[in-house]
Amino acid sequence: MNDLLNLALEAHGGLKRWSRVEAVTVAASITGEIWQIKSKPDYLKNVIFNTETKRERVTMDFPGQDKRSVFEPKRVEMQRRDGTVVATRDNAEASFQGQEQFTPWDDLDVAYFSGEALYTYCNTPFLCTYDGFCTEEIPPIRVDAETWRRLKVTFPDTVKSHTATQIFCFGTDGLLRRHDYTVDVLCGAPGLNYASDYRDVDGIIFPTKRRVYAYEGDYELVKEPLLVKIDMAEITLAYSSLAAV
């Protein structure tokens, strides 16, 4: 484990404390231009999602609607609130092949994309210590008069995320400032994912705001449009034992 990863782990609450966390539940509003492009405006404007930490699984409830999505790497489902399955898709990643920028998404497409994204976001930076992940510190960059140290992370094939290799940028305090990647299921679209407004939840430090923009060339920000906007309200943690609280 390299020095930068150690700094980030401690800044976000420490690996020992995180190891006791089983799941993160978040009440959130997820909006932005991407949902307009994919014919799903306001689809995730009011949701409650649960991201597990020991396996890749994300469930999402839609308050006021008899609907729930379930994401796992090899399968996505749409359910009623009582658990009745109404639609499924195995190997959901393959269904994005041949899609173009303005190809509309169905509910299962959204379940897959939001699931693989939120699993990565909510488990960062602790995810980088999981089996199969490879990390390497690469040269820092200067942004807004601050030096950001950068961690290049290669994901194992068993974990579904935006793409296999991603870059996490950390400030001098060790907190995540930006997450850089391309998105395989969006034809390799580039993303600069800015994290801010940190909150302490039982000693784990979460960014409650994320803003995602495109970039050009050498990570040059494209300010318009705002592709994804994530605002997190209530965040609660589930533990492997009561002694962890």
Side-chain angles (χ1 to χ4, degrees):
M1 198 180 301
N2 60 54
D3 173 65
L4 175 55
L5 180 54
N6 275 324
L7 174 67
L9 293 171
E10 289 304 311
H12 289 83
L15 191 57
K16 182 178 180 180
R17 185 184 298 272
W18 178 258
S19 68
R20 301 185 181 113
V21 178
E22 293 287 332
V24 182
T25 300
V26 181
S29 174
I30 306 174
T31 57
E33 186 65 21
I34 185 63
W35 310 110
Q36 302 285 341
I37 292 172
K38 293 301 181 181
S39 300
K40 288 289 187 181
D42 295 335
Y43 184 80
L44 302 178
K45 190 173 183 178
N46 178 25
V47 293
I48 299 173
F49 65 85
N50 177 279
T51 303
E52 297 189 21
T53 63
K54 303 296 190 290
R55 60 171 176 164
E56 190 173 12
R57 190 173 193 269
V58 178
T59 60
M60 183 173 292
D61 287 287
F62 299 76
Q65 304 180 58
D66 189 15
K67 182 166 65 176
R68 172 184 298 141
S69 66
V70 180
F71 160 83
E72 294 180 341
K74 295 182 179 180
R75 181 181 176 87
V76 291
E77 295 181 351
M78 295 303 301
Q79 302 177 352
R80 295 192 177 95
R81 292 178 64 185
D82 63 4
T84 301
V85 177
V86 297
T88 66
R89 182 170 295 155
D90 293 325
N91 191 21
E93 185 178 28
S95 68
F96 292 89
Q97 294 178 4
Q99 290 191 8
E100 298 178 349
Q101 181 179 359
F102 292 98
T103 300
W105 278 351
D106 61 21
D107 289 359
L108 292 169
D109 289 327
V110 176
Y112 181 86
F113 175 73
S114 61
E116 56 95 348
L118 294 171
Y119 174 77
T120 298
Y121 302 166
C122 285
N123 282 280
T124 296
F126 307 102
L127 187 73
C128 302
T129 68
Y130 293 4
D131 288 345
F133 281 79
C134 296
T135 64
E136 173 192 2
E137 184 169 2
I138 61 176
I141 55 175
R142 190 79 173 165
V143 179
D144 296 333
E146 184 180 31
T147 297
W148 291 354
R149 294 173 66 183
R150 296 190 298 165
L151 192 69
K152 179 180 177 182
V153 179
T154 302
F155 286 60
D157 293 340
T158 53
V159 175
K160 296 300 182 183
S161 189
H162 288 318
T163 196
T165 300
Q166 304 177 33
I167 296 174
F168 297 83
C169 306
F170 299 95
T172 55
D173 56 5
L175 293 177
L176 181 70
R177 294 291 193 272
R178 199 178 74 191
H179 177 194
D180 304 345
Y181 47 75
T182 57
V183 184
D184 293 345
V185 300
L186 288 171
C187 306
L192 297 180
N193 185 327
Y194 292 83
S196 63
D197 284 42
Y198 277 84
R199 185 187 308 159
D200 184 325
V201 182
D202 296 347
I204 302 295
I205 313 302
F206 291 95
T208 61
K209 290 186 178 181
R210 284 181 176 264
R211 302 291 186 264
V212 184
Y213 302 88
Y215 67 83
E216 297 177 336
D218 189 18
Y219 301 100
E220 296 178 12
L221 171 66
V222 177
K223 293 184 178 180
E224 296 290 342
L226 173 57
L227 297 175
V228 178
K229 177 183 178 183
I230 302 175
D231 290 304
M232 298 183 182
E234 184 177 1
I235 302 173
T236 57
L237 306 181
Y239 296 93
S240 54
S241 69
L242 291 177
V245 178

